[in-house]
Amino acid sequence: MKSRNWLIEKRGNMTQTQVAKLCEISRGAYCNIENGRRGLSVSTAKKIAKVLKFDWKLFFEQKRFDLNH
């Protein structure tokens, strides 16, 4: 899986720890999601999207992944 650079941009000035706490997941789990090392459930996608204010379906759109090498 590729890094989700768009998710890092959505996070803005918030830390991974802050986002994870608001989503009720561990910072390590959030880090793995952000770095593309872990898939995620719809419920977790919805939590992250709600906190960062974007449509949760972006996680599952192929075009959202950074395809640049």
Side-chain angles (χ1 to χ4, degrees):
M1 293 185 120
K2 300 288 184 181
S3 176
R4 294 181 172 116
N5 290 331
W6 61 270
L7 184 56
I8 297 167
E9 292 174 15
K10 295 280 187 195
R11 181 165 48 88
N13 293 328
M14 292 181 75
T15 66
Q16 289 180 338
T17 301
Q18 290 170 321
V19 175
K21 185 174 182 177
L22 291 169
C23 294
E24 301 176 333
I25 61 175
S26 72
R27 191 214 54 87
Y30 180 80
C31 179
N32 286 335
I33 291 166
E34 196 172 84
N35 290 314
R37 291 190 298 256
R38 177 179 169 176
L40 73 160
S41 66
V42 169
S43 63
T44 301
K46 287 180 177 181
K47 287 179 185 181
I48 294 170
K50 183 176 181 180
V51 167
L52 299 181
K53 297 177 175 52
F54 66 89
D55 185 347
W56 65 273
K57 295 178 205 122
L58 292 178
F59 278 110
F60 303 102
E61 291 182 7
Q62 186 65 27
K63 67 182 179 181
R64 296 304 307 178
F65 292 97
D66 182 7
L67 299 177
N68 297 327
H69 297 286

